[in-house]
């Protein structure tokens, strides 16, 4: 039990450091770019947490369709994410706070694997 508690304590500063670094980086971006990057990062984190078979290392909100932004909500109906060297269809709706530094709500759907012969047409890469 003590070992588990120690691991949690050691991991907490690392997670806090990563969150602080992400926030500093996001603040350098224009507001809509900040929102898109935050939402893409959230997509990867949520997929990684919810679906053990995936290990997303990239996400693109506009692979097959432009995103729609209305106020603090970004809707990505034509997104994609990369996991284990393969791309998969992704759609999500992401609502952020006014400065686009915190996600308030997030829903997503993972679709089929995207055939490699379609990658170039969608602007995807290995």
């Amino acid at each position: 039990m003590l070992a588990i508690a120690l691991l949690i304590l050691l991991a907490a500063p690392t997670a806090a450091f990563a969150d602080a670094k992400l926030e500093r980086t996001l603040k350098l971006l224009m507001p809509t770019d900040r929102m898109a990057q935050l939402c893409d990062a959230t997509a990867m984190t949520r997929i990684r947490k919810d679906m053990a078979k995936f290990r997303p290392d990239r996400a693109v909100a506009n692979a097959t369709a432009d995103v729609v932004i209305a106020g603090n909500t970004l809707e990505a109906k034509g997104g994609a994410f990369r996991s284990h060297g393969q791309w998969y269809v992704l759609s999500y709706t992401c609502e952020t706070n006014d400065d686009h530094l915190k996600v308030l709500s997030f829903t997503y759907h993972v679709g089929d694997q995207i055939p490699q012969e379609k990658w170039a047409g969608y602007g995807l890469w290995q």
Side-chain angles (χ1 to χ4, degrees):
M1 194 69 144
L2 181 59
I4 293 171
L6 182 59
L7 285 173
I8 291 170
L9 288 173
L10 291 174
T14 304
F17 175 76
D19 289 345
K21 184 177 179 184
L22 175 62
E23 185 172 322
R24 281 193 311 275
T25 302
L26 289 173
K27 286 181 178 179
L28 300 173
L29 301 174
M30 298 297 294
T32 55
D33 293 335
R34 180 183 315 148
M35 178 189 243
Q37 291 299 314
L38 176 62
C39 292
D40 282 350
T42 300
M44 290 187 294
T45 300
R46 289 283 303 275
I47 293 166
R48 194 175 298 119
K49 178 183 170 213
D50 296 345
M51 306 174 85
K53 72 178 187 174
F54 295 119
R55 301 315 292 155
D57 61 355
R58 295 280 190 250
V60 179
N62 61 347
T64 64
D66 290 337
V67 299
V68 175
I69 297 176
N72 293 336
T73 301
L74 185 149
E75 188 170 10
K77 290 185 177 181
F81 73 93
R82 187 176 69 184
S83 176
H84 303 293
Q86 298 297 316
W87 286 93
Y88 298 86
V89 173
L90 171 66
S91 60
Y92 66 76
T93 301
C94 176
E95 180 186 2
T96 69
N97 64 350
D98 288 339
D99 62 5
H100 309 307
L101 291 171
K102 182 178 180 184
V103 172
L104 303 178
S105 68
F106 188 86
T107 58
Y108 72 98
H109 175 76
V110 170
D112 294 333
Q113 184 175 333
I114 300 170
Q116 190 167 359
E117 59 269 12
K118 292 187 176 184
W119 292 4
Y122 295 153
L124 304 175
W125 62 95
Q126 181 61 37

